[in-house]
Amino acid sequence: METKGFWTSATREYLLAFVYKRSFSSDILNCKRPDFMPLIGYARVSTEDQTPLPQSEALQTAGCVEIFEEHASGGNRARPVLARVLERVQSGDTLVVVRIDRLARSLSHLLEVIERLEAKGAFFRSLQDPIDTSSPQGKFTLQVLGAAAEFERALIRERTKAGLASARAKGRLGGNPGLRAKDPVAMRKVRLARQDGYMERLNETAQDWVPHVRRLRPVMAWEDVLRIINAPLPRDRRWTQSRLLRAVKAYVRDGFLPDEVLGRAGRRETDDRLPAIVAGIKGADPNITLQAICDRLESMRERTPRGRTSWQPSSVRMLLERAEKMGLLKSAQ
């Protein structure tokens, strides 16, 4: 949704201050100006026949300068629009939803998202729930929710231990009888169930790595593909090379990825490596800015081509031009 321009009159500026969380700087006497904190809205519906319009209207009324809409199940944590929103949010921004269930269906997912926002210096607000992490009351509510979740997990652990102890006292052994007897049919069922569970977990994170692997392999070495995949991800969701290879092999086995991605990467000249990496980042997000590519390269700890202490947009522009001449951008897009 397009961002509307702001009025500059003193009266309207005063009214908007209530929407955007007013904070004042009193460095200069009798010269206080509001420091606006942009509100970013997120609206979600589960199916294509539903419309997010009522949510978007409520978010617009609340003063959101940008609104992102998504059609996806709330149980799916790997939502592409939500991932883009979390990457878009910057320090001082506030992510706003109409209700908590529009963002997350589980308390653990909600806390995970809020932790990612707090790591960026951003805030979270739900219009119909008493949560606003920019206020002491909202932080207290969040802490209560977190404590309740931890208490619930502790109770589950205690009940499980008590149940196992009671079963052992009655002479019952836990586990699958077929597995204890090494029955081939039972073992095959368990193996297939584990494979299904593994594929289900992979599907939840497929948006993070499948597009990169499909686009960059086998042109680029696994080490560089891995660094491009991990750059925008939080530390607890980053991949190791062995885990990534196992996931790719599983997807190739089931036909979700072509066999070619497992091929041997061709030798690439040292001078061609940086243009290939920049082309890979640009191909993942064609609308990404030069400065955002700089930030991504610094998070990957890539050295600048001219030995500078930090990446500059001019260097990225030069590498993009080289990548285009080499035909890398065309293949990335």
Side-chain angles (χ1 to χ4, degrees), residues 19-183:
V19 176
Y20 284 101
K21 299 179 175 295
R22 193 173 185 176
S23 63
F24 293 101
S25 173
S26 56
D27 295 338
I28 303 176
L29 186 62
N30 296 328
C31 185
K32 300 178 180 180
R33 297 184 62 186
D35 182 16
F36 296 132
M37 303 172 67
L39 306 182
I40 299 175
Y42 174 74
R44 181 192 63 80
V45 291
S46 299
T47 60
E48 292 293 337
D49 58 347
Q50 295 176 318
T51 173
L53 183 59
Q55 297 179 50
S56 298
E57 291 176 346
L59 293 170
Q60 188 175 19
T61 302
C64 292
V65 297
E66 290 182 82
I67 297 176
F68 295 82
E69 299 177 350
E70 183 164 34
H71 291 78
S73 170
N76 181 15
R77 297 193 179 192
R79 290 174 244 154
V81 176
L82 178 59
R84 190 161 67 248
V85 172
L86 296 178
E87 187 173 353
R88 156 71 180 83
V89 170
Q90 300 176 355
S91 177
D93 293 348
T94 299
L95 177 62
V96 184
V97 296
V98 175
R99 297 189 310 275
I100 291 179
D101 64 346
R102 298 301 88 194
L103 178 67
R105 287 286 181 85
S106 66
L107 180 58
S108 61
H109 187 205
L110 174 64
L111 296 176
E112 175 187 331
V113 171
I114 294 178
E115 286 178 359
R116 291 183 61 181
L117 293 173
E118 289 182 342
K120 285 190 167 187
F123 306 99
F124 171 73
R125 179 197 298 178
S126 175
L127 299 181
Q128 297 183 11
D129 302 290
I131 294 183
D132 183 349
T133 60
S134 65
S135 67
Q137 295 86 351
K139 289 183 178 179
F140 175 74
T141 302
L142 185 61
Q143 291 171 355
V144 171
L145 289 175
E150 179 60 31
F151 179 65
E152 182 181 5
R153 287 192 292 268
L155 288 179
I156 292 173
R157 287 194 296 267
E158 291 299 324
R159 293 193 193 104
T160 302
K161 291 179 181 178
L164 292 174
S166 176
R168 284 194 297 268
K170 296 177 181 179
R172 295 200 301 266
L173 297 177
N176 189 318
L179 292 181
R180 290 201 304 270
K182 295 185 178 180
D183 180 15

Side-chain angles (χ1 to χ4, degrees), residues 75-79 199-208:
N76 181 15
R77 297 193 179 192
R79 290 174 244 154
M199 294 302 295
E200 185 176 347
R201 292 192 299 274
L202 285 184
N203 292 339
E204 293 178 353
T205 62
Q207 187 64 32
D208 293 339

Side-chain angles (χ1 to χ4, degrees), residues 259-281:
D259 295 340
E260 291 76 13
V261 299
L262 292 175
R264 186 179 183 87
R267 296 190 62 181
R268 183 176 295 277
E269 298 294 333
T270 305
D271 293 342
D272 294 346
R273 181 175 170 276
L274 281 177
I277 292 177
V278 172
I281 297 173

